[in-house]
Amino acid sequence: MKKLITTAALFLALAFNVKANDLPRKEYPRPQFEREDWINLNGTWTFDFDFGQSGVDRQLQNSEKFSKNIIVPFCPESELSGVKHTDFINCMWYQRKISIPAYWNGKKIFLNFGAVDYWCEIYIDGKKIQQHWGGSSSFAIDITRFVQAGNTHNLVIQVKDDLRGGKQTGGKQCTNFFSGGCSYTRVTGIWQTVWMEAVASEGLKDMVIRTDIDQKQLVATPSFYKESDNILEIILKDGDKVISKKQATCSNNTCIVLPVKNMKLWSPESPFLYELTYLVKDKSGKVLDKVESYTGMRKIHISDGIFYLNNQPYFQRLVLDQGYYPDGIWTAPSDEALKNDIILGKNAGFNGARLHQKVFEERYYYWADKLGYITWGESASWVMDVNDEIAARNFISEWSEIVVRDRNHPSLVTWTPFNETWGSRDGSYPRLIRDIYHMTKAMDSTRPINDASGDDHVLTDIWSVHNYEQDGKRLSEQLIFKEGEEPYRNSRDKKYLAVYEGQPYMVDEFGGIGWMAPEERKNSWGYGNLPQTEEEFYTRLQGQVEALKGAKHVMGFCYTQLTDVEQEKNGIYYYDRTPKFDMKRIKSIFELIPSSHTNLK
């Protein structure tokens, strides 16, 4: 990664009497599309709650200071925000000043948000700029015509969050006052990094990368803020060695093919990453825009019920990771914490994670790419009524932003838009699933789609089921495929659902074995009856893994879960990330099924 704090960021930090190194989450938030000239807007903002939702009537959009302080990017429910208000927050307002460097004159200026839960409206100097729907998706706002280089402006953001209305995504946020079962503390407002960036008007807007290992080439499809007769140059490097270099006109019709000789493949076992540099140059050779990126040469495909990585059958040993933190809730306290969660998973014998009911920030994917850890990208679909047409409309726009943001990451191998849609009904639900499936394929045809984790499948590339049978022998019996019968599944009585047609069969939730101190058992839970001894835990876990290993058609599993989360005590690590067990023994159990293992029919 390049510089974390730029000259512009230092200027802004000094203006607000904040040391640049003290900024929370100071690293560049978009590591696959990184520019050097940016300003991190994390840190102290002012805010007020607006439970009566009367703020616009009271002209709060013109406020230059609110009565309370909050540390962005942490949500007000979290300890790290300095607020820790855990009751429902239906509306709140944020404020801070933003200073635009004088040398940004003549450039496009963007205000970027990692994520704001759920709806927000942005004002600059009292003028309404834009609205955004979607609690988990990143978005950028062009504020060029609302600000002036060399000036300071007043930024105000109104946030609304109707978690219990059924029209929005919420994931595992609890719709009751107290956390309970497998639902936890809520998240409201800004919960990922906010930053500004200056870009040439002819600059690069986006880049879609396809890694074609069969033809040993990388295919790059750019789009620009303004098409021109300037030149786009792409440089592919292995360390200091240039592997390939191509130039093309800055047109949205351009498709650039870079040959990759002596290709090094990406996998969890060997996570090699090539560096990429994108340069937009004028006719004299002057660089107008420079973006740093990277890629991993790898191929994902499915065939005859088998999942392939780089044309080899690959068994996915996944762990359920919900991405909750005791002090930050949905927001990792540091970049190192994101990295550490992946290291914990690898140390426990997993080769990847199903990122569950939360859209993880891009920095997590960066570390998964770098460390070698496959991931399943999932929405925060819970609490949304999947049968409601307005909810469907909201979901479509949010999911499309998620797919576009993350589709270049080599670690991401499966899209999972929904989870356990048990309350689905005929009508809007199957239509929504089909629309999401086809829309996702249009944006990214390179990955399989698991339409609804745990069944209620309508149109899917992966046949996923959830099975929390605790006894290994009974689990083995349930996973036997019988001629002329559908395999074990969670939903059978809904006529609009798909029937199994030979897709890769994955038990993408199992285990969930509770383990907790005796004094915690009254208000905590795990799946099944609790083991009485640590040895009983190991025996039960090994029995379940051996059942999966012996199941003829199972192509992968996902164990519930990486860490405890609040009252749910079925992690293999405690909520604070300390180990519960002998992790060498845990690792040996999960690795009873090697990555190269496949149960061929």
Side-chain angles (χ1 to χ4, degrees), residues 242-309:
V242 175
I243 301 299
S244 194
K245 182 191 292 188
K246 282 286 186 72
Q247 291 186 342
T249 303
C250 292
S251 165
N252 291 342
N253 294 301
T254 294
C255 180
I256 302 172
V257 178
L258 292 92
V260 186
K261 297 180 179 179
N262 303 315
M263 185 174 52
K264 297 179 181 179
L265 297 180
W266 183 96
S267 70
E269 293 72 29
S270 180
F272 182 82
L273 297 175
Y274 288 94
E275 294 181 13
L276 277 166
T277 302
Y278 310 130
L279 300 171
V280 176
K281 300 178 178 180
D282 64 16
K283 288 298 181 67
S284 70
K286 179 183 177 182
V287 175
L288 304 176
D289 190 22
K290 179 181 180 181
V291 176
E292 298 287 354
S293 186
Y294 66 87
T295 192
M297 296 296 294
R298 68 102 178 97
K299 175 185 176 183
I300 298 296
H301 81 281
I302 56 176
S303 180
D304 297 326
I306 298 172
F307 176 92
Y308 289 87
L309 172 62

Side-chain angles (χ1 to χ4, degrees), residues 166-170 380-386 388 391-392 395 418 432:
K167 311 291 186 187
Q168 67 178 63
T169 55
S381 62
W382 270 21
V383 312
M384 168 189 143
D385 181 357
V386 294
D388 184 271
F395 186 87
F418 296 99
L432 172 61

Side-chain angles (χ1 to χ4, degrees), residues 44 82 117 210 234 244 257 281 309 352 385 417 533 552 593 600:
T44 302
D117 195 5
R210 296 284 181 90
I234 301 181
S244 194
V257 178
K281 300 178 178 180
L309 172 62
D385 181 357
T533 65
K552 185 178 180 182
I593 311 178
L600 291 172

Side-chain angles (χ1 to χ4, degrees), residues 25-50:
R25 300 304 310 273
K26 59 182 179 291
E27 60 281 346
Y28 191 83
R30 195 177 55 202
Q32 265 198 324
F33 207 80
E34 182 172 349
R35 291 187 173 94
E36 187 177 73
D37 205 2
W38 68 291
I39 296 175
N40 191 322
L41 297 180
N42 293 342
T44 302
W45 296 42
T46 72
F47 85 99
D48 264 334
F49 295 124
D50 182 13

